[in-house]
Structures are given as structure tokens and as C-alpha cells.
Amino acid sequence: MHEGIAAESLVNLKARSESPPGYSRVPVPADRVSWATPFDDYAPNTYTAPQVLENDLSVRPGGWADEADPVQTFARRGAPRRLTGRPILFDAVGRPLNPAGRTGLAGRGLLGKWGPNFAADPIVTRFNPVTGEPELLAILRKDNGQWAIPGGMVDFGEDVSTTLAREFHEEAGVKLDMGDATLVYVGYVDDPRSTDHAWIESTVKHKHLDPAAASRIEPVAGDDAAVIRWMKLSDANVASLYASHSEFVRHVMKRLGR
Ligand code: RP5
């Protein structure tokens, strides 16, 4: 199992270079990403998406987003904790600082939680029945047109195995027991939605289907997916996956002896 070290060493490559709608990042040179490196002129814009503000749970009962004030948030739900247990630094007004460094954007962007937003990623593979080559069940994300693992956010209080199975069902239309899947990664995700004060951390599990199990499933693209398909794990396909998914899948390829 891998603990977020390699992904953090990417120093927010995607978080600095990709911007979803509404994001306007200021440039952060590679040698100024670390909070430990002084960057006197650093003046990122602040952005929190309207749908996040509308779901502020202090304004809308049952809302999925934190309060606008991080101090109020952490007074309510306690200090944020990382999946890896590593410490989180805070700025002078109580905002948690992205552990992989500066992203060129302040606020929460599209993410509901200050600090870590927890996700789960089910990597489901098979060997192609004709070629014998390993394949990943991958989705084409509707929000950005990138191929990805069919993962999603962990609901409040939800067990990760439940999230993995729920997301796989929602995105791929397939019911799979993920309780026996193997943990391959826990930690930071270099997601294009990351900001200086909100980021994604994921629990990634792998399940390899034998030919009989693989032939029984009939994937159907769910709500957030435009397309779903078995994707050959070629270097080019893996390299172009969303966020840190290339890295997660490379761990799995090693498990499969590739
Ligand atoms: C990535 O975003 C995670 O690895 C996970 O795959 C995904 C969760 O976000 P949504 O798919 O719910 O947008 O960072």
C-alpha cells in the first residue's frame, strides 16, 4: 500500500495547470510551490463556487458544504485530519494550507470542505478475453472530458467499502462487493479542483475480476460519466488519466506484473 508520498511529490502539477470553470489561477513557479519557500508577491484570487456557498450547512439545513468561516467550521466539527495522519498547517485566519503547496487559487473553489475532502476510487481490472492484456473499467468524465477511475466523494459517516461499491454502481451501473478489494493507495490527489485551502484525499482499492466475473457484468455509464469502457492499460492510456489516477493505476499494473 502506498501512502501519498509520490502524489505529493508531484507538487500540485495539475492543481496549478488545470482550471475548471470559475477558476482563475495566478502562476506558481515550480520552485515556489512549497509553503516553506517565501513568495512575497503571491496574491491568489479567492474563489468559492456559488453551489458551494448555497450548500453552506449553516444557511441550508442538510447542506453538504462547510460554513464560509473555517474557524466556525472547525469549532463545529473539530480540527481537520488527513487520511495519512500527517499534520495540517493553517494560515493567520485559520484556513488549512494545501499539503502539496500553493495552487494559485485561494478559497474552496468547487470543493465543499475546508481542508481534505475525502474520496474513494475503485480500480476494477480484467484480462481481455481475446488478447490477454490487462484492462481497466474506466469512465469518460462529463465535467472535463477526461478518462478516469469511476470514483467519488465519501458521504458523511460512510464506510469506504460502501463508498467504493456505491460509486461503482452509480458511475458504472454495476453492483460489486468491494469488501475484499486490496488497498493500493491512501492520501493526496493532485486534482484540478484543488485550491490553497481545499483538496481531495482518496482511498484507492483494487479488485481484479476473473473471466467468469468479468463476463457477468454489463457496464452502463452513470450520472457523471459520458462513456464507460474496458480500457487497455497501455502507457499512453494510463498517462492521460484524470488527476492522480495514472499513478494509482501504475501501482495496480505492478500488482498485475506489468
Ligand atoms: C478525484 O476526484 C478522486 O480521485 C475521485 O476519483 C474523484 C472524486 O470526485 P467526483 O468524481 O465525485 O467529482 O480527485
Side-chain angles (χ1 to χ4, degrees), residues 82-144:
R82 300 199 56 199
L83 287 178
T84 55
R86 291 185 202 174
I88 295 176
L89 302 176
F90 294 84
D91 69 8
V93 293
R95 295 178 300 186
L97 292 177
N98 186 314
R102 299 179 177 99
T103 66
L105 184 71
R108 280 173 292 162
L110 285 160
L111 300 174
K113 308 274 190 290
W114 289 106
N117 288 252
F118 299 118
D121 285 295
I123 299 184
V124 175
T125 57
R126 71 167 186 181
F127 291 123
N128 181 287
V130 176
T131 64
E133 293 292 329
E135 295 179 333
L136 162 76
L137 202 57
I139 59 163
L140 186 65
R141 290 180 64 102
K142 275 187 190 161
D143 59 351
N144 55 28

Side-chain angles (χ1 to χ4, degrees), residues 66-85:
D66 283 339
E67 299 86 342
D69 177 4
V71 175
Q72 195 186 342
T73 291
F74 300 136
R76 169 181 55 80
R77 64 170 165 93
R81 286 171 180 271
R82 300 199 56 199
L83 287 178
T84 55

Side-chain angles (χ1 to χ4, degrees), residues 119 121 141 149 151-153 189 191 193 200 202 242-243 245 248:
D121 285 295
R141 290 180 64 102
I149 299 163
M153 307 306 291
V189 182
D191 190 286
R193 291 168 289 185
I200 294 180
S202 188
Y242 177 67
H245 293 188
F248 303 160

Side-chain angles (χ1 to χ4, degrees), residues 125-127 129 176 208-218 230:
T125 57
R126 71 167 186 181
F127 291 123
L176 267 191
H208 184 75
L209 301 182
D210 63 30
S215 70
R216 276 196 299 273
I217 68 170
E218 288 180 23
W230 287 106

